[in-house]
Every structure is written in C-alpha cells, then in structure tokens.
C-alpha cells in the first residue's frame, strides 16, 4: 500500500488485534502485515496492559467483542477513561449486527463483519480510519499555541469565520492586545516568568471569550487577537488584564496597549478586520500616554488614502509623477556662507491629491516593499544632476540621497550605485548616502560591514537624524561615517534652555573629536545660524538658506552662485 502520509519518523503504523480466537488473529494478520506492525492480545485486560505499558503508539485497535476475562464492551468502557488511549480508533470485529450498533455507541469507530470480507475491503477500511485519525490528531496537536494554550491563528481564523457566518446580524469588535515591551520584559523577568505571564494572559482572554461569546488567539510573539460581542467600554477588560499581571509580576510586569476595531463591518474580510484593530494600535504605539485606541473615521480615511496610494504607485513611477527636489547645504566655515552640497528629497505630484509629502508615503512604501524602486529612481535622478552640474557648469557638488532602512541591507545596493557612477561618469565621493541613526542602533554589526564597504568604494556616508535614536557614544566611535547630521529637533529647540544649547555644542565637539563634519538641519533663522557657527558647525541646511528646490530652480541656483 502506498504511504499516503509521509512521516518524519520511519516507523510503520502499529495495529493491535484483540481476539481470543487464534485463527481470526492469523487471518487479519495475513491481510495487514505487509503494511503494518501487528501485535496481539487475547482479551480486553491483556490489551489494556499492553497499551498502557508500552511507549509505542498504536494507530488502530481491532477488537473482538466476545472474549473471556474482559470482553470488548468492557474494554471500550475502560479505554474511554484513559486519556492516552481515548482517541485511538477501534474497529469492532463481530458477526452480530445488533452488537455492532451498540459498540459504535460505546466509542468504536467502525466494524468489520465476520466472516471477513475481501482482504482489499479490510485494507481500504483500515487505511481510511488511520488516515482520519492522524489528520484529526494533527489538527489537535497544532490547534493550540503551546505557551498560552490558546488557539493558533489558523484555527482562530477558521472559527472566527464560522462565528461571523452564523451570526450575520451580530455586533462584534475585533481587538488586538499588544505587549509593547515583550522583548525587554522577557530579558528582565527571564523566560520562565515570561511563559507563565503568557499563560495567564491566555487564561484571562479565554475566560473573557467564554463570557462574551468570542474567540481569541495569540497571533504573533507580542500580539493577541480577540473577537467578541461589542462592548461599550474596554476599561474593565484592560484593567482586569493589567491588574492580573501586576499581581503576578509586580513592577516588572508586561506593558500592553489595545487596538480596537468596534462594530466590525460584517462584509469585510477577516484579515481586514484584524488589520484595522492593528491600525488602531499602531496609531498609539509610540504614544507614551494612550493605552487604548479605536479604529475611527479618521484612521479609516487615512487607510483608504494609503490604499489608493499603494495602488497607483507603479503607474505614478512610470508617469514621472515623482519629482526629486534638491535642498542646498551651505558651508559656514568662511566669512560668507557658500553653497557646498545638497540633499535629494522626493515629492509626489499626484494628479488627484496634489503634492504629497514624503512623510506620508515613505513609511508606507517601506512597509509594503515599494521603497526600493523609488529609492533607485531618486539615486538615478541624483546621479543625473551631479553629472549635469559637472558637465554643463564645471561644478563638482556633492549631493546626498536618503537610503531607506530596507535598502541598506539590499545586497545589490553597492552594484546599483556603482553602475550609476560609471554611467554618469563622476567620482563616487560626490554621491553621499544618508543613513538614519536608528538603523545604526538596530542592526549594528551588519550595518558596520555594509557602510564600511560602501566607504571603501569611495561613497561618503552621512549619519542622518543624529540624536533621534539611541546610539551610544561608545558605539559612535566604531561606526564608519563621514558626516553627522544633527536632527532637526535639536535646532528647533536650541534656545529653549541652556541645557539644549550645551547639548548641541557637545554634539558638534564630539563630531570634531571623531573627525567627521557636521550638518545642522532645519535652520530657519539667523540667530540659529550664528550660534551654530559659533559652536563650529560645518554645514547648514534649512529654510533660512533655501527650501528644497525643483530640479531646474536648483540648477539655476548653483549656476547663479558658483559660476561667475
Ligand atoms: P530627512 O531626511 O530628515 O529630511 C529633512 C526634512 O526636513 C525634509 O522634509 C526637509 O524638507 C525638511 N526641512 C529642511 N529644512 C527645513 C527647515 O528649515 N524647517 C523645517 N521645518 N523643515 C525643514 P521632507 O522633504 O518632507 O522629508 C521628510 C523625510 O522623508 C526625510 O527626512 C526622509 O527621511 C524622507 N525622505 C525624503 N525623500 C526621500 C527619498 O528620496 N528616499 C527616502 N528613502 N526617504 C526620503
Ligand atoms: Ca535625510
Ligand atoms: Ca534628517
């Protein structure tokens, strides 16, 4: 017989034949022994002893009903009481039709009539029953998340759909319970305490699901999903959970936030329902105060817009709706500020929505994997500009591009920009790559290797948004970069306190110590400029000198200022 269920272990399935008549045992054995390992017992009692004393798992029991010591019925009664045996299927072997029905009632799976039918029928029946048993067992084994005892996401999906289908007039909420400090809490409390905490959360949610006719699952390491009847308030739910964990773990407790999609639209699909609950959570993920958030009309509008933007991305790229602007950087070392570089910044001139800021679409494209093609477009436009300035004006002006976090780990990045440099014929040092500070602190080792390689190829690296992330000063000295861009936040708030001024000054001193140049971004007035000059900042980028300019305006500006 063909192996229909390939198994990771090679053992053949085991069948136990329980019959006091040797001849019956021999006939069945002859039919099945080519495909299965057969064991025998001659009454119910021996069978139970054999089944409970061995480690090996039986896939099927074939049971005679009339036997001495313990008959088939008594065996079935006993078997039901032993958890490890309860689910093993039983085929009853009998000649009495009345008995067959009774034994099915007692838990037998099927019966085979004596005298035996053709060997093929018996083989087919045995095979089918074992297959069924194994597939239900697979379902049972995988339907629960081990840490919490809750349904896996797959089963949650299945049952949630059933619940919604069976209650088309129902009013339900989808809730995500997100453990915001999972990794740190696990590090602090240790894996044992953490698994206990997860278990408690699972218990709590299961109770709630029972009370409110819902269902719950752990959908990822940090997130639980809960589908239940609509509630006006989740205060009690949230505080119940928090109190339970605080009682259990005290100060080191897990922190969490809720994202709620209330009154779910019964016509939408389940993944969409879950996504909306997640959107509600995402909107408060970085908020230090908000703990519970609802998916509302505003979020919905933003979602619809995002959806539209994603849909038209490819077309927009082809139709040249994306425009690369250039914001000049001025050197303030000498007496007069001098145009000394620029940053390429993308804009989307959308035919319907007008000019869209990168703050809206960059994070979206990063999330959905479109950023790579957009960034490549910007690299190309930048290379084109560098080469045009050189060829038409004889000016060698470095221009920087933003390298998104997805891109920096693209193994082809280096090839892509190297071939641009060749195609447009200029020195790599004119193309600067801005990498945001948070990427450095997330993936330090890989990033060091990557940026070091890019520098070896001659490109300059600018660490963008310095001060917005958490790079330690220690780490800073081992990171390969050429320019430090001070985050706009420092400049914006520099005059708010003496402390702010001192921090800004120290950052510039630190850069000098590390022998890298500094760029201050977001400089909007002369007061800021003068102070930065006094502190020894090298370059200034900001509205004070210029907003980001369209291609032609930028070209004209360079021509006007650098070509006499
Ligand atoms: P960023 O790299 O930190 O860029 C600086 C942002 O500050 C730009 O916003 C710029 O227009 C703005 N800015 C410059 N001077 C001033 C000023 O004096 N005052 C104020 N209030 N703002 C100023 P923008 O162009 O909206 O870009 C936002 C962010 O989007 C950028 O932040 C960057 O992270 C990302 N981005 C922009 N273009 C691209 C791109 O082509 N590729 C990638 N991957 N990201 C981009
Ligand atoms: Ca930048
Ligand atoms: Ca920046």
């Amino acid at each position: 017989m063909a192996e229909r269920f390939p198994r990771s272990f090679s053992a053949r399935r085991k069948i136990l034949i329980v019959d006091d008549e040797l001849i019956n045992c021999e006939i069945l054995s002859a039919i099945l022994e080519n495909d299965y390992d057969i064991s025998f017992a001659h009454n119910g009692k021996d069978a139970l002893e054999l089944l409970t004393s061995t480690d090996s798992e039986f896939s099927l029991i074939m049971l005679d009903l009339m036997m001495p010591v313990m008959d088939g019925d008594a065996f079935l009664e006993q078997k039901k009481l032993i958890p490890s045996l309860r689910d093993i299927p039983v085929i009853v072997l009998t000649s009495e039709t009345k008995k067959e029905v009774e034994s099915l009632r007692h838990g037998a799976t099927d019966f085979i009539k004596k005298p035996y039918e053709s060997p093929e029928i018996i083989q087919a029946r045995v095979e089918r029953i074992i297959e069924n048993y194994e597939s239900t067992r697979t379902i049972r084994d995988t339907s629960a998340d081990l840490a919490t005892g809750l349904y896996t996401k797959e089963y949650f999906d299945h049952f949630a759909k059933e619940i919604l289908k069976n209650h088309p007039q129902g009013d339900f909420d989808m809730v995500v319970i997100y453990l915001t400090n999972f990794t740190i809490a696990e590090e602090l409390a240790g894996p044992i305490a953490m698994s206990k905490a997860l278990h408690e959360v699972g218990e709590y949610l299961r109770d709630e699901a029972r009370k409110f006719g819902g269902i719950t699952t752990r959908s990822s390491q940090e997130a639980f999903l809960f589908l239940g009847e609509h509630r006006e308030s989740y205060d009690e739910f949230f505080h119940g959970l928090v109190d339970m964990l605080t009682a259990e773990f005290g100060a080191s407790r897990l922190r969490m936030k809720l994202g709620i999609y209330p009154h779910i639209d019964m016509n939408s699909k389940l993944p969409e329902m879950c996504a909306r609950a997640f959107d509600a959570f995402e909107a408060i993920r970085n908020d230090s105060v908000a703990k519970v958030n609802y998916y509302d009309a505003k979020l919905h509008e933003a979602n619809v817009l995002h959806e539209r933007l994603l849909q038209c991305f490819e077309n927009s790229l082809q139709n040249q709706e994306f425009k690369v602007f250039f914001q000049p950087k001025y050197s303030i070392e000498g007496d007069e500020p001098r145009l000394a570089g620029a940053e390429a910044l993308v804009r989307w001139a959308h035919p319907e929505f007008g000019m869209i800021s990168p703050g809206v679409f960059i994070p979206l494209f990063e999330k959905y994997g479109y950023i790579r093609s957009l960034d490549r477009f910007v690299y190309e436009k930048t290379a084109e500009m560098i080469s045009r300035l050189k060829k038409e004006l004889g000016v060698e002006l470095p221009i920087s591009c933003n390298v998104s976090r997805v891109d920096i780990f693209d193994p082809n990045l280096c090839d892509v920009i190297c071939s641009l440099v060749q195609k447009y014929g200029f020195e790599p040092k004119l193309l600067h790559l801005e990498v945001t500070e948070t990427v450095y602190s997330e993936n330090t080792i890989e990033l060091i290797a990557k940026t070091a390689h890019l520098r070896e190829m001659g490109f300059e690296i600018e660490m963008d948004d310095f001060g917005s992330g958490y790079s330690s000063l220690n780490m800073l000295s081992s990171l390969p970069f050429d320019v430090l861009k001070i985050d706009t936040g420092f400049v914006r708030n520099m005059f708010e306190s003496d402390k702010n001024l001192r921090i800004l000054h120290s950052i510039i001193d630190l850069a000098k110590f590390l022998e890298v140049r500094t760029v201050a971004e977001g400089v909007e007035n002369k007061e800021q400029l003068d102070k930065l000059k006094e502190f020894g900042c090298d370059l200034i980028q900001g509205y004070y000198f210029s907003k980001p300019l369209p291609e032609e305006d930028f070209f004209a500006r360079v021509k006007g200022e650098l070509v006499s």
Side-chain angles (χ1 to χ4, degrees), residues 379-392 394-397 416-431 459:
Y379 302 151
E380 173 115 31
K381 283 283 174 193
T382 306
E384 215 178 270
M385 178 58 83
I386 295 173
S387 132
R388 209 180 135 199
L389 293 176
K390 190 177 157 186
K391 288 200 182 108
E392 294 181 27
V395 171
E396 289 202 335
L397 197 73
V416 168
I417 54 173
C418 282
S419 56
L420 279 178
V421 166
Q422 269 176 358
K423 179 174 164 190
Y424 288 96
F426 57 84
E427 280 189 67
K429 71 168 198 282
L430 292 179
L431 185 62
F459 301 100

Side-chain angles (χ1 to χ4, degrees), residues 309 312-314 316-318 320-324 344-349 356-366 369-382 401-404 406-407 410 413 416 420:
L309 296 183
C312 53
F313 172 75
E314 295 284 348
S316 299
L317 195 58
Q318 268 168 18
Q320 308 264 342
E321 285 171 21
F322 290 98
K323 308 283 175 206
V324 179
L345 292 158
V346 71
R347 271 97 189 84
W348 190 350
I356 312 174
S357 130
V360 174
F361 60 84
I362 297 281
L364 189 70
F365 290 171
E366 283 187 331
Y370 295 163
I371 194 68
R372 202 169 285 182
S373 27
L374 182 65
D375 273 350
R376 287 188 184 179
F377 168 78
V378 178
Y379 302 151
E380 173 115 31
K381 283 283 174 193
T382 306
C401 289
N402 290 283
V403 183
S404 85
V406 188
D407 244 9
D410 174 3
L413 176 70
V416 168
L420 279 178

Side-chain angles (χ1 to χ4, degrees), residues 192-210:
I192 296 172
M194 183 52 108
S195 69
K196 194 150 177 280
L198 289 173
H199 194 81
E200 296 286 329
V201 174
E203 285 281 302
Y204 182 90
L205 294 177
R206 195 169 23 228
D207 279 355
E208 288 289 315
R210 249 184 242 129

Side-chain angles (χ1 to χ4, degrees), residues 343 345 402 434 464-465 485 521:
E343 174 178 9
L345 292 158
N402 290 283
E434 295 194 11
D464 202 0
D465 310 321
K485 291 191 83 173
E521 271 191 286

